[in-house]
Amino acid sequence: MTHHEPHDEVTGDRMNWLRAGVLGANDGIVSTASLVVGVAGATTDRAQILVAGLAGLFAGAMSMASGEYVSVSSQRDAERALLAQERRELRDMPEEELNELKEIYEGKGLDEDTAEEVAKQLTKHDALAAHAEAELHIDPDELTNPWGAAIASFISFTIGALLPLAAIALTPVGLRVPVTVAAAVLTLALTGFVSARLSGAGKRRAVVRNVAGGLIAMGVTYAIGSLVGQSIG
């Protein structure tokens, strides 16, 4: 039987890369746009704005990358610990584990005889993979990769941060803030749309939430920057 339905699955590792990339880009846009808009509220000196923006870019990118590495490493350690426990149980009490696997498939709707046969066949083929998938929802061959998530986060944050930084650096003084805000809003709408596609959530709500959060952050930092600039000046 042939058909044309897609059966490609997004692995947990690939999903972590995508998630880290989208979140990194979103944070890069919001944090850098807020930073440079805040500094622009305090001064019109292009050099000061660029220095602050570049410092925020590299600090934020490194922070995002290290945070992703630590977070995903912890997840990977937990997965490895669960798999090690499952190996011990399969070694020490194989009959109990086989019965447990049979009960899992009975719970999914198979009759007792079919569930027992499925459990036996899967155990014979690859006992650890069968139990890891059914009990833990883990693929032993596709554990999460902390380096992949960290690199994706670093690169995406940098790309996201470069957009508002370029907008405020290349725009005349009187248009710096509105052009930077507009560029940030457009890119935040895009990352909100992409994140909604990845998660299967409502696109409109995700876009509105993303844009609203960015506007609030930029508005607050601009107001603080203006007040600080006036008090110092």
Side-chain angles (χ1 to χ4, degrees):
M1 182 176 63
T2 60
H3 50 74
H4 302 286
E5 294 180 6
H7 289 281
D8 293 333
E9 294 184 358
V10 178
T11 64
D13 188 41
R14 185 182 170 200
M15 182 58 73
N16 269 323
W17 283 42
L18 293 171
R19 177 189 58 79
V22 172
L23 290 177
N26 192 69
D27 285 352
I29 295 163
V30 173
S31 62
T32 306
S34 299
L35 176 62
V36 294
V37 164
V39 177
T43 179
T44 59
D45 190 307
R46 190 187 303 270
Q48 291 186 31
I49 297 173
L50 284 176
V51 168
L54 287 171
L57 185 157
F58 287 110
M62 292 301 298
S63 175
M64 283 291 297
S66 63
E68 280 294 330
Y69 181 83
V70 170
S71 174
V72 177
S73 292
S74 298
Q75 179 182 344
R76 187 183 181 91
D77 291 343
E79 290 172 344
R80 284 175 168 169
L82 289 171
L83 289 173
Q85 179 180 346
E86 197 62 39
R87 287 189 186 94
R88 290 192 297 271
E89 292 175 352
L90 286 168
R91 181 194 63 207
D92 298 337
M93 41 183 165
E95 292 301 322
E96 290 85 345
E97 285 296 295
L98 179 62
N99 189 59
E100 183 179 15
L101 191 60
K102 185 193 79 168
E103 291 176 351
I104 289 174
Y105 285 107
E106 283 183 306
K108 291 182 178 182
L110 298 182
D111 61 66
E112 183 177 355
D113 291 338
T114 303
E116 183 175 3
E117 182 62 24
V118 169
K120 287 180 178 179
Q121 291 292 330
L122 290 176
T123 299
K124 181 178 179 181
H125 175 69
D126 189 334
L128 178 63
H131 284 265
E133 189 278 330
E135 296 180 41
L136 309 174
H137 307 293
I138 296 174
D139 184 343
D141 297 322
E142 293 287 347
L143 297 183
T144 52
N145 183 354
W147 284 109
I151 292 170
S153 183
F154 181 91
I155 293 174
S156 61
F157 184 99
T158 301
I159 293 173
L162 285 173
L163 296 173
L165 192 59
I168 206 159
L170 301 176
T171 306
V173 175
L175 297 175
R176 282 178 183 168
V177 172
V179 168
T180 301
V181 170
V185 166
L186 289 175
T187 48
L188 285 172
L190 177 61
T191 57
F193 178 83
V194 172
S195 66
R197 284 290 300 272
L198 291 176
S199 64
K203 298 178 182 65
R204 180 178 297 179
R205 177 176 296 182
V207 169
V208 170
R209 183 172 56 232
N210 236 27
V211 171
L215 286 173
I216 292 172
M218 288 183 284
V220 170
T221 53
Y222 180 77
I224 293 173
S226 298
L227 290 172
V228 171
Q230 292 174 7
S231 63
I232 294 176

